Amino acid sequence: MGFDPTFLGPEVPLPRAAQDVRELPATHFTVLLDPARRLAAATAVNIDGVALLDVPRDDEWRLDERVPPQEQTGPELYARNDLDRGHLVRRRDPVWGEPGVAAQASRDTFTYPNAAPQASGFNQSRELWLGLEDHVLEHARAQRLRLSVLTGPVLAGDDPEYRGVRLPRRFWKVVAWSLDAGRRLASAAFVLDQTPLLPASELAATTHAAAGADEPPPLGPYRTYQVPVADVADLTGLDLGPLPAADVLAVTAPQELAWQELGALDEVRLDATA
C-alpha cells in the first residue's frame, strides 16, 4: 500500500507540504489531502511499465471512508454542470502486478480525494496533457521501465469559489525516472493552465455572474507547459526533495528560464546529459 520512495532506486520521497495534509495510501500510490481546501495537495504513484495490466473499469466514484466527508470534495460539486472529475493519479498508472492487486489499484483511483474539478472540453491541449506520462514511459523504456509521477492542483489563494470549493486553475505534474542503471535520477515538470484568456475586469464580472447562477466559474482552454521543477515547488509550496536538482530542462536548456508552451508531444525535452 502506498507510494514507494525507493521504487526507482534513487530515492524520490513524498512531497512535503507546508500545510496540514492527510496521507492516504492506496495500491501503488498515495494521496496527500488538504482538508482545508478539500482537495489533494499532491499525489504520488509508482508505475511499472513491464507489469501494466488491462482490467475492467470501475467508474463508481466514492468518498474515502478514512476521511470525514466534510474534508473531501464529493459528488455535490459535480452535479448538474459540465465539470469533470479529473483523475490526479490516472486510472491505468497503478494498475500493474498480480491481477487482484491491479484490479484493486484501479478501484482505488476512484475515490474523491484523487479527483479534482477540470473543464470538460476535451480539446487537443487536453489530449497532450493526458499523453505526457505515456510519452515519458516510452522514453524510459530503454532504462528501467519504471516511473514515479507526482501530480496535483496548484492551490492558489485567488482560486474562484463554487459550491464552497475553490476551483484550481492550474495543475502540475513531475515525472521522475532513473538513469545509468539506477545510479542517477532524472525529472521533468509540466503545468496545465485552464485560466480563462480574459481581461481581469471581464473575468471578475463573468465569475461573479456565474456564482449568482450556481454555475462553475469560467475556465479557459487548456495550455500545457514544460517548466522547471523548481517552479512547481515555488507555485505549490511543496518540498520536492531531489527532483529540482534532477531536472532535465535545467540540464538541456540552462539559459531558457521561461516556460515552454507545448503544442505536441515531440516538443517535450527529456534527454539529460551530464
Side-chain angles (χ1 to χ4, degrees):
M1 288 291 288
F3 177 78
D4 179 2
T6 64
F7 185 70
L8 301 180
E11 186 169 1
V12 178
L14 279 171
R16 287 191 296 174
Q19 72 272 38
D20 290 334
V21 294
R22 307 278 188 265
E23 186 173 323
L24 303 175
T27 307
H28 299 151
F29 69 96
T30 295
V31 175
L32 300 179
L33 176 67
D34 182 333
R37 286 293 300 262
R38 300 170 58 199
L39 295 169
T43 64
V45 60
N46 303 125
I47 306 172
D48 188 334
V50 173
L52 287 170
L53 295 180
D54 289 325
V55 302
R57 288 179 63 98
D58 176 4
D59 291 343
E60 184 179 349
W61 286 92
R62 58 197 180 278
L63 296 174
D64 193 312
E65 296 179 351
R66 298 170 292 181
V67 182
Q70 65 271 20
E71 292 187 357
Q72 50 189 313
T73 295
E76 63 280 353
L77 179 69
Y78 304 95
R80 304 179 304 281
N81 57 45
D82 61 354
L83 288 177
D84 274 355
R85 299 169 176 85
H87 274 85
L88 296 174
V89 173
R90 298 188 313 167
R91 185 196 74 87
R92 69 180 297 270
D93 285 352
V95 180
W96 52 269
E98 295 296 325
V101 173
Q104 183 61 52
S106 177
R107 290 190 294 271
D108 287 351
T109 66
F110 284 94
T111 56
Y112 276 103
N114 187 43
Q118 294 180 342
S120 62
F122 203 96
N123 55 35
Q124 181 178 357
S125 295
R126 188 174 185 189
E127 292 175 4
L128 172 63
W129 176 255
L130 295 177
L132 282 172
E133 288 171 40
D134 287 336
H135 182 68
V136 180
L137 184 60
E138 288 301 317
H139 178 82
R141 194 168 294 279
Q143 307 295 329
R144 290 190 60 195
L145 305 172
R146 287 184 166 195
L147 298 175
S148 288
V149 180
L150 315 181
T151 307
V154 177
L155 301 177
D158 61 352
D159 287 332
E161 186 170 322
Y162 174 59
R163 296 181 179 175
V165 178
R166 282 183 284 161
L167 304 191
R169 285 181 167 150
R170 284 176 168 177
F171 294 83
W172 59 271
K173 185 184 302 292
V174 178
V175 184
W177 64 100
S178 63
L179 300 168
D180 302 333
R183 292 188 297 272
R184 188 157 59 100
L185 190 65
S187 66
F190 307 91
V191 167
L192 172 71
D193 195 333
Q194 57 180 359
T195 304
L197 299 175
L198 297 172
S201 58
E202 185 178 346
L203 177 59
T206 306
T207 300
H208 180 75
D214 189 33
E215 295 178 353
L219 298 173
Y222 285 84
R223 299 180 302 283
T224 301
Y225 301 86
Q226 184 165 2
V227 308
V229 177
D231 282 11
V232 170
D234 290 341
L235 278 172
T236 61
L238 295 168
D239 182 346
L240 298 178
L243 295 177
D247 187 355
V248 296
L249 187 62
V251 172
T252 60
Q255 76 284 4
E256 297 181 26
L257 301 181
W259 291 14
Q260 308 297 309
E261 185 167 3
L262 302 176
L265 288 172
D266 60 10
E267 297 174 7
V268 174
R269 299 171 185 249
L270 296 175
D271 292 320
T273 57

